[in-house]
Amino acid sequence: FDKAYDFIPQVNATLIAAGTPAQKQALLDQNYNFAVTDITQDGFTILLNKNAASDVKLSWIAIQASE
């Protein structure tokens, strides 16, 4: 994160399918799974289940909830 959170935030991520219909289908055909891991006040990691065949776009949001 650009600035550390006061508490460990909740982080959500979404896989983004962009491009032509064929590109979108190719992304879905890869059967990617991912998880948000190692969440700290300073950042997080997104773990992908396998090496990506091409760039994979993800959208994410971190929300600070009071402890």
Side-chain angles (χ1 to χ4, degrees), residues 5-29:
Y5 283 85
D6 294 331
F7 305 103
I8 295 174
Q10 292 188 6
V11 178
N12 293 304
T14 303
L15 184 65
I16 303 297
T20 66
Q23 290 170 321
K24 292 173 188 175
Q25 189 60 52
L27 175 68
L28 294 175
D29 290 344

